[in-house]
């Protein structure tokens, strides 16, 4: 049942799925949501929504929700239902026991995009103040951490440069590694609208995404590259821009570091970076690369939108830097209609980064080693902070396996399904002595947990999410938490039990503290959010109502900085045994590991993950559409049904990862980005064979 009668009142809140962050009215009958209606006053969505957001309320009251805390001494024991007090005290005593036995650095925590800004802030505060270390990380590690690194290094701020509305002034749209119509449907529709109005479109993607050719939109150029060759292609585009004299030297010389610009021009001009020299690497015809580069540099306002197809590679950070270089060299940054725009996959992945749930950065992207910053937080929190960065997610797994990391507090992240090389992750979780999972459902990670703390869905709590355009939007409680507490309250109880007192009475007080400590949030308050509807950070004295476009007069770091982006092939090579490249992505009706969408109407439209394979490759293996196929990599193997399609190129296969039984991450490898350890989900060498079925 989708609609449950006539609503009596409505409450405006924010979708908890993708990085568009659509505003919705939850229409209520008593304490029950009868439907979700997209808010026409929503700044990110202007009254639009997709099939995920509309039916999101379905999972909030799903029968699988766990609403009582549970503990067990061993993961082989049955769960025992206990009171909140007992569960919190047990978790705290276990963390204390572990730290007493194995040392201060033997425990840590993970936050996720499921958390509001306020919840994320509290988790990293608990880790730093109560655990006394910096072992805190977030799901951005496995998606957009290269964005944080690459944009900070070049532009000075780890965030996209534009508002979504900026696209309506764009003449040339470049989409790299982002299937926007499936991953960010509402923004994908706006993109299509702008293309229908006459904007040109360049798509860089190994697969025929809908934007390449749909009933109303066709890409002017589709650079259908081989997975893993983004940097070679971006260098080739830059080569054309520089060697054909298409740079905007006035902008670059005035706004950027001159020496870095000159060095970069010399670097990309080298013959090895030409479209002709890189054609055998990327598989993209040189003439098409030249034409696309000319269009980007000379076609008017040009904006680059990119996604996980850029970041989830061994050179993810390099590719982000290459994108920023291109924008600076052509002057396509610092005004409406242009810019560098990471399309954040999840609703609050931007916020989880902003709030300091990184092992090396305090809230506001300030490095933990910076004395002045640390002193500010120490004074506010009344503790002495550890100055060395803590463990990233993959380091936590490695430390668990070598016996030095024993306790994990995991809020809203299903690492046992979402992280690559599943067997390795499971072994690490098994090696821990106390895993505390705070979630809505007994997810895959909970199978390895000793304490389960029931979470609250986005409909059961107050707080804020920050979307891909830096827009902070209110999340409002439309019904009481099914388990009695909002997630920030649970973290607060745990911190108190650990001995570090927290005493907030409402998330607005947490935001007030954030505003005091984070300069880009200095002007943010719940009162202002209620008044304005949403705010794009930076919001402070200089920009009291927020900042739609960044880097207008100068870059956040002062002068923009060009960095060299040498192409280095991935270690993941095809061979006679593993001749195909597997790449992964998402589908419109499902969301990430599917924990939520699989429990809504959305499963009607997409009920399994399938393997897309080119008919040529299928024929060679005797595979027909719908056959079961075994997929084997150097890490593991799984079985899926095949879909024959020319959307993928010969030599490349593709799947989604929404269903735990499909085991997509059983086969992905532990290769990762050189700078941030973001996993290389997008390139795995595999063999595919026809099998009888699971
Ligand atoms: Fe909007 Fe994304 Fe939610 Fe769809 S999933 S309604 S596009 S925020």
């Amino acid at each position: 049942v989708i609609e449950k009668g006539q609503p009596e009142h409505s409450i405006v809140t924010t979708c908890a799925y993708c990085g568009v962050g659509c505003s919705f009215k939850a229409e209520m009958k008593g304490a029950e949501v009868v439907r979700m209606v997209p808010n026409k006053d929503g700044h990110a969505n202007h009254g639009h929504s997709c099939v995920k957001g509309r039916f999101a309320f379905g999972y909030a009251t799903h029968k699988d929700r766990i609403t009582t805390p549970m503990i067990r001494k061993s993961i082989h024991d049955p769960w025992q239902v206990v009171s909140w007090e007992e569960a919190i005290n047990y978790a705290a005593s276990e963390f204390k026991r572990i730290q007493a036995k194995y040392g201060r650095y033997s425990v840590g925590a993970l936050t996720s995009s499921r958390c509001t800004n306020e919840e994320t802030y509290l988790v990293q505060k608990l880790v730093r103040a109560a655990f006394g270390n910096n072992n805190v990380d977030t799901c951005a590690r496995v998606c957009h951490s290269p964005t944080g690194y690459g944009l900070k290094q070049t532009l000075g701020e780890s965030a996209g440069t534009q508002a979504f509305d900026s696209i309506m002034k764009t003449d040339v749209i470049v989409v790299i590694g982002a299937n926007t119509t499936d991953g960010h449907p509402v923004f994908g529709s706006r993109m299509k609208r702008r293309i229908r109005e006459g904007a040109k479109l360049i798509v860089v993607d190994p697969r025929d995404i809908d934007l390449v050719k749909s009933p109303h939109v066709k890409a002017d150029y589709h650079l259908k590259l081989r997975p893993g060759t983004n940097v070679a292609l971006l260098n080739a585009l830059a080569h054309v821009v520089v060697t054909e004299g298409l740079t905007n030297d006035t902008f670059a010389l005035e706004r950027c570091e001159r020496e870095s610009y000159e060095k970069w021009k010399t670097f990309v001009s080298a013959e090895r970076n030409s479209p002709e020299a890189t054609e055998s690497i990327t598989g993209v015809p040189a003439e098409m690369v030249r034409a696309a580069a000319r269009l980007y540099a000379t076609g008017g306002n040009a904006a680059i939108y990119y996604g996980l197809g850029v970041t989830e590679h061994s050179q993810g950070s390099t590719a982000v830097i290459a994108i920023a270089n291109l924008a600076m060299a052509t002057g396509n940054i610092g005004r409406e209609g242009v810019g560098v725009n990471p399309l954040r996959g999840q609703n609050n992945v931007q916020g989880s980064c902003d709030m300091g749930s990184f092992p090396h950065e305090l809230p506001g992207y300030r490095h933990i080693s910076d004395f002045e910053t640390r002193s500010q937080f120490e004074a506010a929190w009344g503790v002495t902070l550890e100055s060395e960065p803590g463990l990233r997610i993959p380091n936590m797994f490695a430390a668990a396996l070598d016996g030095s990391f024993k306790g994990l507090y995991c809020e809203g992240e299903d690492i046992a399904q979402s992280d690559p090389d599943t067997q390795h992750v499971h072994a690490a979780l098994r090696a821990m002595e106390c895993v505390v999972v705070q979630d809505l459902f007994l997810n895959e990670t909970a199978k390895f947990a000793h304490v389960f703390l029931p979470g609250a869905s986005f409909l059961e709590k107050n707080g804020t999410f920050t979307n891909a355009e830096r827009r902070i939007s209110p999340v409002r409680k439309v019904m009481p938490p099914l388990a009695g507490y909002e997630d920030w309250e649970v973290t607060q109880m745990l911190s108190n039990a650990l001995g570090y007192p927290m005493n907030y009475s409402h998330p607005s007080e947490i935001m007030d503290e954030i505003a005091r400590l984070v300069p880009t949030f200095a002007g943010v308050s719940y009162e202002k959010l209620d008044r304005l509807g949403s705010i794009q950070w930076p919001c402070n004295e200089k920009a009291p109502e927020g900042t739609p476009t960044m880097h207008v007069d100068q870059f956040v770091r002062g002068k923009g900085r060009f960095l060299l982006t040498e192409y280095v092939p991935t270690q993941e090579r095809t061979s006679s045994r593993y001749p195909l490249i597997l790449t992964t992505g998402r589908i419109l009706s499902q969301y990430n590991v599917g924990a939520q969408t699989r429990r809504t109407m959305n499963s009607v439209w997409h009920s399994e993950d399938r393997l897309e394979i080119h008919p040529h490759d299928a024929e060679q293996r005797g595979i027909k559409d719908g056959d079961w196929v075994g997929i084997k990599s150097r890490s593991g193997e799984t079985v899926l049904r095949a879909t024959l399609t020319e959307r993928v190129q010969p030599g490349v296969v593709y799947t989604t990862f929404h269903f735990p039984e499909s085991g997509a991450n059983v086969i992905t490898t532990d290769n990762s980005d050189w700078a941030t350890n973001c996993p290389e989900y997008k390139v795995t060498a595999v063999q595919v064979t026809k099998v009888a079925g699971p």
Side-chain angles (χ1 to χ4, degrees):
V1 178
I2 304 169
E3 297 188 0
K4 304 173 182 173
Q6 286 306 308
E8 293 160 350
H9 67 287
S10 66
I11 300 170
V12 173
T13 190
T14 302
C15 181
Y17 285 139
C18 87
V20 178
C22 294
S23 177
F24 274 90
K25 285 183 179 171
E27 294 196 337
M28 310 292 298
K29 189 173 182 184
E32 191 180 15
V33 181
V34 294
R35 64 183 163 245
M36 301 285 286
V37 178
N39 179 13
K40 62 177 174 16
D41 297 325
H43 298 138
N45 57 319
H46 303 297
H48 296 280
S49 78
C50 77
V51 291
K52 288 191 280 275
R54 268 182 185 269
F55 302 121
F57 64 93
Y59 72 79
T61 52
H62 194 275
K63 63 177 174 47
D64 291 350
R65 282 287 298 274
I66 305 293
T67 56
T68 50
M70 301 187 293
I71 61 174
R72 56 183 176 181
K73 297 272 180 319
S74 150
I75 61 171
H76 306 295
D77 293 339
W79 284 108
Q80 185 190 342
V81 173
V82 295
S83 67
W84 271 104
E85 190 183 8
E86 194 173 343
I88 292 287
N89 286 340
Y90 181 73
S93 66
E94 277 296 278
F95 285 134
K96 283 185 196 169
R97 178 188 66 77
I98 288 169
Q99 285 193 295
K101 184 171 177 187
Y102 300 100
R104 184 148 56 105
Y105 305 105
S106 58
V107 298
L110 301 180
T111 69
S112 88
S113 300
R114 307 274 66 76
C115 305
T116 61
N117 287 317
E118 295 77 0
E119 289 160 0
T120 300
Y121 176 85
L122 280 205
V123 171
Q124 63 82 34
K125 182 174 177 179
L126 176 149
V127 169
R128 295 188 157 115
F131 286 167
N133 65 42
N134 289 311
N135 292 339
V136 60
D137 212 348
T138 176
C139 60
R141 176 69 52 213
V142 297
C143 62
H144 266 286
S145 50
T147 288
Y149 178 85
L151 298 187
K152 179 105 175 173
Q153 293 295 315
T154 49
L155 313 179
E157 191 60 273
S158 301
T161 62
Q162 310 297 128
F164 288 146
D165 287 347
S166 162
I167 199 169
M168 300 319 284
K169 294 192 175 166
T170 300
D171 303 304
V172 180
I173 298 169
V174 184
V175 181
I176 311 179
N179 186 3
T180 55
T181 51
D182 282 47
H184 307 84
V186 164
F187 184 64
S189 297
R190 201 169 321 162
M191 202 175 250
K192 279 181 157 179
R193 182 173 137 206
R194 183 63 192 150
I195 296 160
R196 285 198 300 274
E197 288 174 355
K200 301 289 185 193
L201 173 65
I202 299 167
V203 172
V204 180
D205 203 290
R207 187 167 161 266
D208 292 350
I209 57 171
D210 279 348
L211 277 180
V212 169
K213 200 175 181 185
S214 67
H216 307 293
V217 165
K218 190 173 176 305
D220 293 274
Y221 300 106
H222 177 198
L223 312 185
K224 198 169 179 174
L225 77 176
R226 291 197 184 101
T229 63
N230 286 330
V231 172
L233 184 73
L234 288 161
N235 285 344
L237 290 167
H239 177 94
V240 177
V241 169
V242 170
T243 57
E244 296 192 9
L246 308 178
T247 51
N248 183 339
D249 283 351
T250 308
F251 179 94
L253 290 169
E254 192 179 305
R255 295 283 306 273
C256 305
E257 292 174 356
R258 175 184 283 265
E259 195 186 340
S260 74
Y261 180 48
E262 299 295 352
K263 274 189 184 163
W264 174 78
K265 285 210 294 187
T266 304
F267 163 74
V268 295
S269 300
E271 181 51 29
R272 69 179 184 287
N273 290 320
S274 72
E276 290 72 21
T278 52
E279 185 172 328
S280 62
I281 299 169
T282 64
V284 182
E287 262 321 299
M288 190 184 285
V289 176
R290 287 193 175 275
R294 289 171 193 141
L295 178 59
Y296 173 73
T298 65
N301 283 344
I304 298 176
Y305 294 87
Y306 71 87
L308 304 182
V310 164
T311 55
E312 290 178 343
H313 288 276
S314 57
Q315 282 202 291
S317 292
T318 316
V320 172
I321 290 166
I323 287 169
N325 287 342
L326 261 181
M328 290 189 291
T330 54
N332 276 309
I333 198 156
R335 63 180 189 279
E336 278 193 284
V338 297
V340 175
N341 304 284
L343 292 170
R344 305 282 189 157
Q346 301 189 59
N347 58 327
N348 201 36
V349 78
Q350 179 73 54
S352 70
C353 303
D354 301 344
M355 293 298 106
S357 54
F358 276 141
H360 66 300
E361 281 175 336
L362 284 158
Y365 301 101
R366 285 163 301 160
H367 204 277
I368 192 76
S369 63
D370 182 68
F371 177 76
E372 206 175 305
T373 303
R374 235 176 30 251
S375 303
Q376 189 194 3
F377 280 85
E378 285 173 345
W381 293 351
V383 293
T384 301
L385 293 174
E386 168 66 56
S387 60
E388 289 292 317
L391 298 173
R392 297 170 173 177
I393 295 175
N395 305 133
M396 290 183 195
F397 296 151
L401 289 171
D402 78 18
S404 60
F405 188 83
K406 292 287 185 180
L408 180 67
Y409 172 37
C410 183
E411 185 173 333
E413 181 71 352
D414 193 3
I415 48 176
Q417 187 186 345
S418 63
D419 284 42
D421 198 355
T422 304
Q423 299 90 318
H424 175 74
V425 177
H426 289 189
L429 287 167
R430 258 187 235 108
M432 295 182 201
E433 293 182 8
C434 180
V435 175
V436 178
V437 166
Q438 187 169 324
D439 214 296
L440 305 183
F441 307 106
L442 274 177
N443 59 18
E444 295 300 301
T445 309
K447 290 177 181 165
F448 302 91
H450 306 85
V451 180
F452 185 88
L453 304 173
S457 77
F458 76 114
L459 296 173
E460 298 155 53
K461 58 191 177 186
N462 288 304
T464 55
F465 290 148
T466 304
N467 75 356
E469 50 168 358
R470 294 170 279 106
R471 185 179 300 285
I472 308 159
S473 297
V475 178
R476 295 197 178 91
K477 181 155 67 173
V478 307
M479 58 194 210
L482 296 191
Y485 291 105
E486 300 180 38
D487 290 286
W488 66 269
E489 293 176 292
V490 177
T491 304
Q492 174 161 287
M493 288 191 286
L494 182 58
S495 186
N496 286 330
L498 284 164
Y500 179 75
M502 290 186 186
N503 190 27
Y504 305 97
S505 60
H506 190 273
S508 63
E509 295 171 10
I510 306 172
M511 180 55 81
D512 291 343
E513 182 174 312
I514 294 166
R516 287 194 295 276
L517 289 168
V518 179
T520 47
F521 275 62
V524 179
S525 67
Y526 276 35
E527 177 278 320
K528 194 181 279 184
L529 282 165
D530 284 343
R531 185 158 41 86
L532 300 180
S534 66
I535 302 168
Q536 284 177 276
W537 67 260
C539 172
N540 45 32
E541 253 182 28
K542 275 196 220 152
E545 302 216 333
T547 308
T549 307
M550 291 191 83
H551 314 295
V552 172
D553 298 318
Q554 64 168 20
F555 287 100
V556 170
R557 70 181 302 280
K559 296 264 186 188
R561 176 165 60 158
F562 288 82
L563 291 169
L564 307 189
T565 54
E566 193 71 62
Y567 167 67
V568 179
T570 168
Q571 289 176 16
E572 183 67 4
R573 307 285 166 86
T574 53
S575 65
S576 55
R577 191 151 180 217
Y578 303 106
L580 302 174
I581 289 287
L582 170 78
T583 190
T584 59
R586 307 160 199 230
I587 199 155
L588 170 65
S589 58
Q590 292 293 337
Y591 178 70
N592 279 10
V593 295
Q596 295 141 295
T597 43
R598 280 187 278 113
R599 295 179 169 101
T600 67
M601 286 285 294
N602 295 70
S603 283
V604 174
W605 300 296
H606 179 78
S607 55
E608 63 175 342
D609 293 317
R610 282 187 162 224
L611 186 82
E612 291 188 3
I613 183 167
H614 191 277
H616 173 74
D617 292 328
E619 190 184 357
Q620 283 186 336
R621 292 162 176 78
I623 296 166
K624 297 206 171 46
D625 198 66
D627 281 351
W628 288 100
V629 290
I631 306 139
K632 191 170 185 184
S633 73
R634 295 179 181 97
S635 300
E637 55 190 309
T638 191
V639 173
L640 295 173
R641 282 202 293 164
T643 295
L644 272 56
T645 174
E646 292 185 3
R647 291 182 77 158
V648 289
Q649 51 188 294
V652 175
V653 290
Y654 167 88
T655 190
T656 49
F657 54 92
H658 302 304
F659 291 82
E661 53 275 21
S662 72
N665 283 326
V666 171
I667 34 185
T668 50
T669 71
D670 63 357
N671 293 333
S672 66
D673 174 47
W674 63 271
T676 66
N677 283 131
C678 181
E680 191 172 45
Y681 288 110
K682 300 297 184 186
V683 184
T684 307
V686 294
Q687 60 163 273
V688 176
T689 51
K690 185 174 169 176
V691 295

